[in-house]
Amino acid sequence: MKRIRILICCVMMMAMCVSLGACTSQDSGGTGEAKTTLTTARSKDIGDLNGHLYAGDMAAQGMVFDTLVENTADGPKAALAESWDISKDGTVYTFHLRKGVNFTDGQPFNAEAVKANIDAVQRNPEKHAWISLSKKIKSVDIVDDNTVNIVLSEPYYPILTELGLLRPYCMMSPATFINGETKDGVSAFVGTGPYKLTEHVQNQYATFVSNDEYWGGEPKIKTVTFKVLPAGQTAQLALQNGEIDFLYSNYSDAMLDSETLKSMGTNKDYQIVYSEPCATRFLMVNASKPETIIADKNIKEAIWYGINKEELSSEILSGLETPAETLFPSTAPYCDVKLKERTFDTAKAKKLIEASGWKMESGSEYYTKNGEKLSVRIEYRTDVAGVKGICEYLQSNLKDIGIELVLTGEEKSAYYDRRKTGDYDLLIDATWGVPYDPQSTMSAFSAPSSYLTSTQNLENSQEMFDWIDQALVSTDEVKRQELYTKVLNKIQDDACFIPLTDVQVIAVAPKDLKNITFNQSQYEIPFEKMYFE
Amino acid sequence: MRNYIIRRILTIIPMFFIISFISFVLINLSPSDPVEIILRANGVPVVTEELIEETKIELGLDQPFLVRYVNWLNDVIHLDFGKSYVTQQPVFKMISPAFGYTMQLALANTVVTIMLSIFLGIICAQFEGRMIDRGTRSFLFIISAMPAFWIGTLAIWFFSVKLNLLPTSGVGSWTNFVLPTMVMSIGYCGFYFRMIRNSMLENMNENYVVYARSCGVKEKVVVKHIFRNSIQTAVAAFCMAIPGMMAGTVVIENVFAWPGLGRLCVSSIFNRDLPIIQAYVLILALSYCLFNIFGDIVTAVLNPKLRKA
């Protein structure tokens, strides 16, 4: 009896300890958080925010740094440059800078700062080889304190779009450069943006405080905190618990899945906000090995016809992504072009397969030819949320037209190795999205580490690469459209990229957070425009 | 005893070289080009051959394997683990806080596991075959068979979202320890309390216990002696469990956003951040060696026979 009493006492003491801890937690948890602070979650640390390199979180970089121009749906607009003039031959761009702007360390933003920034980027050419502008800039000349000329070696029409990309041409305080360079790091992350980084504890959180002298107007949200949380359930539960106020997801950092969104959609305290379609999820088809099954154009087309994108969008992706028929959405510059359509049609798919000599034996599920089964592989990245489910759906779609689809999920590095070496049949990938589309993505068609294995052995592929190069330097708008139209038709007709769905940025937040908007780039979020009601 | 301890500590030296070499070989066996992976991890949109070559030279990866190993080993001996390929920060600076957090969690878990295991082990042994014994064993058997990520998520949902009692994740106050420690220790308790219970039951039937009781020694004193003799096997297992916990916190760290070694190591593996992976493997291997020796010393302290040996 005595032992039982002792036991009961022990259990009660443990229960008290837990309750005490719980009560303390509740007190310190803070339910009355001021509505000028916002906490969001990312699955990775913000990293090195040096805007002239690529390792940092772009959403965080976008809060700290500005660019000369801003990419919008209506084209490039004034940002740190109030206006610009273009020389007749299209090789000199004169930028008139916004006056009275300072970096958050007090340094003035002027022509000297612009020159220091662009020159620092240009001195690291290998890192920036992907952006064609880096190969076209001949010099940056200071005209006066607020005017600067960028001189190009030849006309290059996407200059404004590419100067509007956060990386690598954002403006950082030259005082933070190390020996005038940024390629080996900077001493601090200082820009002219709406926020300044005040605290960063690696792999835990980063705090940004508003820049009260921001040229675009003082942000209403005074403090933004980026917490590092694993994607999925933990982040969703933290949102429900009020520990974070804003959760968003894009292709590269999928913090939300369709199940989470379904459950949050029914919660009246939260809102779900979608951006315009900003990138395309597609299948990359290997063209580098002519002897393989997948190199046959009929099989590529059959796969395209055999995928029910409507159902993929509505059932598998719960309507979060919309069906795509072209590699670039018609809203992307120069992409509003009528292209060959291949809507879901299993009969047509089977006809194409049979036209290539494949036969369906009685009792068999898959086509065969000379004893070989019609089987193709698809590789997907295991670190991209939801992609396995999409592949499994494609597997069932292709089974219906007699093609066996074998799934292989791999880590990022193995996936990219395959993409580069051509050791694949199909890869599931996504475009970089606007404002990189179409010019930057098309430039990567001929890059060995990007899309070359999908484009290299197509008929007249070199000619297509030349069209892309010509389009980039053309000063004639009509000719440029013509060239892009030819490229778009070529990739559509050859079925080297099979579009699946258009991807959006999705945000979930409490209902009282207002003015949630999106930038053109899926990687940046304009926190400075948001406010709590 | 002193000689024994010195001898055991000296075995760490050859172990250090063997472990470091094996880990260096295995990590470098990866078929992917580490330079390319590093550049991708750094977000470079298009990786050109020229950039690969330039980076290879910059990182010294163009050197022969043995030269790289010797250079690395030499630096490590001077406590310089190099710089992270991804963040460009010294590895030591990155690993130290993560190691601290993991160690805190592992120690909290060890304390809770030991206390709970001893408490439940003694109770179950004292009430052998009765409801409380069978109930505890069944409950812990079922709960420790459940995956940690699942229990973790359920615990967050219940304690943090439904009851709003504890933070969902992160670090900061002692309340952040409650959920991860609870989830982790459940699994370990299920194993260790059985070990103590069984050991206690064996000892309870030993001649010395019968003799003590027949001599009229107080029950409290008898239980104390039973416990002291029963705990020895568990002590060695506990000591080895600490580095095991350090290495096995990955799932818990991910569920509870705990900025420890596990998360750092997994992200480093995906980014092929070799300096961090090598340091991680080395630190954990040395931890195993040290805790193994520590366990031996504690056992020797508890058992005078071993001291004499």
Side-chain angles (χ1 to χ4, degrees), chain A residues 292-308:
Chain A
T292 55
I293 293 170
I294 200 67
D296 182 346
K297 192 183 165 193
N298 281 346
I299 302 297
K300 292 183 199 181
E301 285 200 276
I303 291 172
W304 193 322
Y305 280 116
I307 298 171
N308 186 348

Side-chain angles (χ1 to χ4, degrees), chain B residues 88-100:
Chain B
Q88 302 300 321
Q89 288 187 2
V91 171
F92 191 77
K93 197 181 155 197
M94 289 178 74
I95 275 205
S96 309
F99 181 80

Side-chain angles (χ1 to χ4, degrees), chain B:
Chain B
M1 180 72 186
R2 198 178 58 189
N3 288 343
Y4 172 73
I5 293 171
I6 291 168
R7 213 167 48 236
R8 292 304 314 272
I9 289 172
L10 285 176
T11 56
I12 291 178
I13 296 168
M15 288 295 283
F16 168 80
F17 286 104
I18 293 166
I19 293 161
S20 66
F21 186 75
I22 291 174
S23 68
F24 202 87
V25 170
L26 290 177
I27 288 163
N28 281 277
L29 277 179
S30 164
S32 303
D33 182 351
V35 176
E36 217 172 314
I37 296 163
I38 292 157
L39 288 167
R40 283 198 203 108
N42 276 300
V44 178
V46 175
V47 178
T48 60
E49 290 304 319
E50 294 79 14
L51 185 57
I52 291 173
E53 284 310 309
E54 191 184 88
T55 313
K56 204 174 263 183
I57 295 165
E58 194 181 306
L59 299 173
L61 291 170
D62 55 333
Q63 303 275 326
F65 172 80
L66 275 178
V67 174
R68 278 186 288 138
Y69 172 67
V70 171
N71 288 344
W72 173 75
L73 198 63
N74 184 39
D75 290 341
V76 166
I77 290 167
H78 294 93
L79 280 182
D80 176 8
F81 292 94
K83 272 186 177 179
S84 157
Y85 290 161
V86 178
T87 65
Q88 302 300 321
Q89 288 187 2
V91 171
F92 191 77
K93 197 181 155 197
M94 289 178 74
I95 275 205
S96 309
F99 181 80
Y101 284 119
T102 296
M103 199 67 189
Q104 285 172 21
L105 190 60
L107 286 176
N109 184 27
T110 307
V111 170
V112 173
T113 303
I114 289 175
M115 284 169 65
L116 264 181
S117 302
I118 290 174
F119 175 75
L120 294 174
I122 293 172
I123 296 289
C124 288
Q126 291 285 79
F127 296 94
E128 190 207 353
R130 297 190 25 202
M131 191 57 136
I132 192 159
D133 176 34
R134 280 183 291 169
T136 307
R137 280 191 291 144
S138 306
F139 176 72
L140 278 175
F141 178 76
I142 293 167
I143 209 154
S144 59
M146 293 175 184
F149 72 87
W150 188 63
I151 299 187
T153 309
L154 285 182
I156 295 174
W157 172 78
F158 185 70
F159 290 105
S160 305
V161 179
K162 283 286 157 196
L163 301 180
N164 197 20
L165 295 176
L166 295 162
T168 57
S169 53
V171 292
S173 81
W174 68 271
T175 52
N176 292 89
F177 280 89
V178 178
L179 288 181
T181 307
M182 185 178 86
V183 174
M184 260 184 103
S185 55
I186 281 170
Y188 285 98
C189 269
F191 174 71
Y192 290 109
F193 102 95
R194 270 167 204 281
M195 190 183 273
I196 292 171
R197 175 188 173 275
N198 294 346
S199 195
M200 290 268 299
L201 288 176
E202 275 171 27
N203 273 285
M204 279 159 101
N205 297 320
E206 290 287 332
N207 289 340
Y208 75 91
V209 177
V210 180
Y211 178 73
R213 280 191 175 135
S214 62
C215 289
V217 175
K218 280 184 184 171
E219 186 60 21
K220 207 195 277 180
V221 179
V222 175
V223 171
K224 192 181 140 194
H225 281 281
I226 294 171
F227 175 69
R228 193 170 173 152
N229 284 313
S230 307
I231 198 77
Q232 285 169 28
T233 44
V235 165
F238 277 137
C239 287
M240 288 307 287
I242 297 173
M245 284 174 195
M246 285 165 61
T249 54
V250 181
V251 175
I252 295 293
E253 286 182 6
N254 265 308
V255 173
F256 293 99
W258 195 267
L261 270 185
R263 283 180 77 197
L264 181 68
C265 180
V266 169
S267 66
S268 303
I269 288 169
F270 281 122
N271 293 331
R272 290 288 195 283
D273 202 344
L274 302 187
I276 294 187
I277 303 169
Q278 281 155 359
Y280 173 82
V281 172
L282 201 64
I283 287 170
L284 271 190
L286 286 175
S287 300
Y288 267 99
C289 295
L290 287 171
F291 279 101
N292 191 10
I293 292 168
F294 178 70
D296 286 349
I297 295 167
V298 174
T299 316
V301 169
L302 287 171
N303 189 345
K305 283 184 202 164
L306 284 176
R307 249 178 287 169
K308 279 174 194 162

Side-chain angles (χ1 to χ4, degrees), chain A residues 173-194:
Chain A
S173 170
T176 63
F177 294 8
I178 297 169
N179 300 325
E181 301 291 351
T182 55
K183 60 182 179 181
D184 297 319
V186 286
S187 59
F189 307 121
V190 179
T192 56

Side-chain angles (χ1 to χ4, degrees), chain A residues 40-46 57 59 226-231 247-250 252-253 255 523, chain B residues 263:
Chain A
T40 186
R42 306 300 289 146
S43 66
K44 288 179 206 146
D45 185 70
I46 59 163
D57 184 315
F226 278 43
K227 261 181 135 175
V228 182
L229 286 181
L247 205 53
Y248 71 99
S249 196
N250 55 26
S252 63
D253 195 3
M255 294 296 288
Y523 308 107
Chain B
R263 283 180 77 197

